[in-house]
Coordinates of all heavy atoms in Angstrom, one line a residue:
K458 N -4.9 -28.2 -2.7 CA -5.5 -27.5 -3.8 C -5.9 -26.1 -3.4 O -5.7 -25.1 -4.1 CB -6.8 -28.3 -4.3 CG -7.4 -27.7 -5.5 CD -8.7 -28.5 -5.9 CE -8.3 -29.8 -6.6 NZ -9.5 -30.5 -7.2
K459 N -6.5 -26.0 -2.2 CA -6.9 -24.7 -1.7 C -5.7 -23.7 -1.5 O -5.7 -22.6 -1.9 CB -7.7 -24.8 -0.4 CG -8.2 -23.5 0.2 CD -8.9 -23.7 1.5 CE -7.8 -23.9 2.6 NZ -8.2 -23.9 3.9
N460 N -4.6 -24.3 -0.9 CA -3.4 -23.5 -0.6 C -2.8 -23.0 -1.9 O -2.4 -21.9 -2.0 CB -2.4 -24.3 0.1 CG -2.8 -24.6 1.6 OD1 -3.7 -23.9 2.1 ND2 -2.3 -25.6 2.2
K461 N -2.8 -23.9 -2.9 CA -2.2 -23.5 -4.2 C -3.1 -22.4 -4.9 O -2.6 -21.5 -5.5 CB -2.0 -24.7 -5.1 CG -0.9 -25.6 -4.7 CD -0.9 -26.9 -5.5 CE 0.2 -27.8 -5.0 NZ 0.2 -29.1 -5.7
S462 N -4.4 -22.6 -4.8 CA -5.3 -21.6 -5.4 C -5.1 -20.2 -4.7 O -5.2 -19.2 -5.3 CB -6.7 -22.0 -5.3 OG -6.9 -23.2 -6.0
I463 N -5.0 -20.2 -3.4 CA -4.7 -19.0 -2.6 C -3.4 -18.3 -3.1 O -3.4 -17.1 -3.3 CB -4.8 -19.2 -1.1 CG1 -6.2 -19.6 -0.7 CG2 -4.2 -18.0 -0.3 CD1 -6.3 -20.1 0.8
Q464 N -2.4 -19.1 -3.2 CA -1.1 -18.6 -3.7 C -1.3 -17.9 -5.1 O -0.7 -16.9 -5.4 CB 0.0 -19.7 -3.8 CG 0.4 -20.1 -2.4 CD 1.3 -19.1 -1.7 OE1 2.0 -18.4 -2.3 NE2 1.1 -19.0 -0.4
N465 N -2.0 -18.6 -6.0 CA -2.2 -18.0 -7.3 C -3.0 -16.8 -7.3 O -2.8 -15.8 -8.0 CB -2.9 -19.1 -8.2 CG -2.0 -20.1 -8.7 OD1 -0.8 -20.0 -8.6 ND2 -2.5 -21.2 -9.3
L466 N -4.1 -16.7 -6.4 CA -4.9 -15.5 -6.3 C -4.0 -14.4 -5.7 O -4.2 -13.2 -6.2 CB -6.1 -15.8 -5.3 CG -7.0 -14.6 -5.0 CD1 -7.7 -14.1 -6.3 CD2 -8.0 -15.0 -4.0
L467 N -3.2 -14.6 -4.8 CA -2.3 -13.6 -4.3 C -1.4 -13.1 -5.3 O -1.1 -11.9 -5.4 CB -1.5 -14.1 -3.0 CG -2.3 -14.2 -1.7 CD1 -1.5 -14.9 -0.7 CD2 -2.8 -12.8 -1.2
S468 N -0.8 -13.9 -6.2 CA 0.0 -13.5 -7.3 C -0.7 -12.6 -8.2 O -0.2 -11.6 -8.7 CB 0.6 -14.7 -8.0 OG 1.4 -15.5 -7.3
I469 N -2.0 -13.0 -8.6 CA -2.8 -12.1 -9.5 C -3.0 -10.8 -8.8 O -2.9 -9.7 -9.5 CB -4.1 -12.9 -9.8 CG1 -3.7 -14.1 -10.7 CG2 -5.0 -12.0 -10.5 CD1 -4.9 -15.0 -10.9
L470 N -3.4 -10.7 -7.5 CA -3.6 -9.5 -6.9 C -2.4 -8.6 -6.8 O -2.5 -7.4 -7.1 CB -4.1 -9.7 -5.5 CG -5.6 -10.2 -5.3 CD1 -5.9 -10.6 -3.9 CD2 -6.5 -9.2 -5.8
I471 N -1.2 -9.2 -6.6 CA 0.0 -8.4 -6.5 C 0.3 -7.8 -7.9 O 0.7 -6.6 -8.0 CB 1.2 -9.3 -6.0 CG1 1.0 -9.6 -4.6 CG2 2.5 -8.6 -6.3 CD1 1.9 -10.8 -4.0
V472 N 0.2 -8.6 -8.9 CA 0.4 -8.1 -10.3 C -0.6 -7.0 -10.6 O -0.2 -6.0 -11.3 CB 0.4 -9.2 -11.3 CG1 0.4 -8.7 -12.8 CG2 1.6 -10.1 -11.1
S473 N -1.8 -7.2 -10.2 CA -2.9 -6.2 -10.5 C -2.5 -4.8 -9.8 O -2.6 -3.8 -10.4 CB -4.2 -6.7 -10.0 OG -4.6 -7.8 -10.7
F474 N -2.2 -4.9 -8.5 CA -1.8 -3.7 -7.8 C -0.6 -3.0 -8.4 O -0.5 -1.8 -8.5 CB -1.7 -3.9 -6.3 CG -2.9 -3.9 -5.6 CD1 -3.6 -5.0 -5.2 CD2 -3.5 -2.7 -5.2 CE1 -4.8 -5.0 -4.6 CE2 -4.7 -2.6 -4.5 CZ -5.4 -3.7 -4.2
L475 N 0.4 -3.8 -8.8 CA 1.6 -3.3 -9.5 C 1.2 -2.6 -10.8 O 1.7 -1.5 -11.0 CB 2.6 -4.4 -9.8 CG 3.9 -4.0 -10.5 CD1 4.7 -3.0 -9.6 CD2 4.7 -5.2 -10.8
G476 N 0.3 -3.2 -11.6 CA -0.1 -2.6 -12.8 C -0.9 -1.3 -12.6 O -0.6 -0.3 -13.3
L477 N -1.8 -1.3 -11.6 CA -2.5 -0.1 -11.3 C -1.6 1.0 -10.8 O -1.8 2.2 -11.1 CB -3.6 -0.4 -10.3 CG -4.8 -1.1 -10.8 CD1 -5.7 -1.5 -9.6 CD2 -5.6 -0.3 -11.8
S478 N -0.6 0.6 -10.0 CA 0.4 1.6 -9.5 C 1.2 2.3 -10.6 O 1.4 3.5 -10.6 CB 1.4 1.0 -8.5 OG 0.7 0.5 -7.4
V479 N 1.6 1.4 -11.5 CA 2.4 2.0 -12.7 C 1.5 2.9 -13.6 O 1.9 3.9 -14.0 CB 3.0 0.8 -13.5 CG1 3.6 1.3 -14.8 CG2 4.1 0.1 -12.7
A480 N 0.3 2.4 -13.8 CA -0.7 3.2 -14.6 C -1.0 4.5 -13.9 O -1.0 5.6 -14.6 CB -2.0 2.4 -14.8
G481 N -1.1 4.5 -12.6 CA -1.4 5.8 -11.9 C -0.2 6.7 -11.9 O -0.3 7.9 -12.1

């Protein structure tokens, strides 16, 4: 459960940084 949650958190962070990069 912890490993899957970490994988999901990393996915959200990657998409967030991608979105901020495109916006910038």
Side-chain angles (χ1 to χ4, degrees):
K458 186 183 281 191
K459 182 182 77 169
N460 292 340
K461 290 174 182 178
S462 296
I463 289 171
Q464 288 290 324
N465 283 349
L466 177 64
L467 286 169
S468 292
I469 291 168
L470 287 173
I471 290 167
V472 169
S473 298
F474 274 99
L475 177 64
L477 287 171
S478 296
V479 169

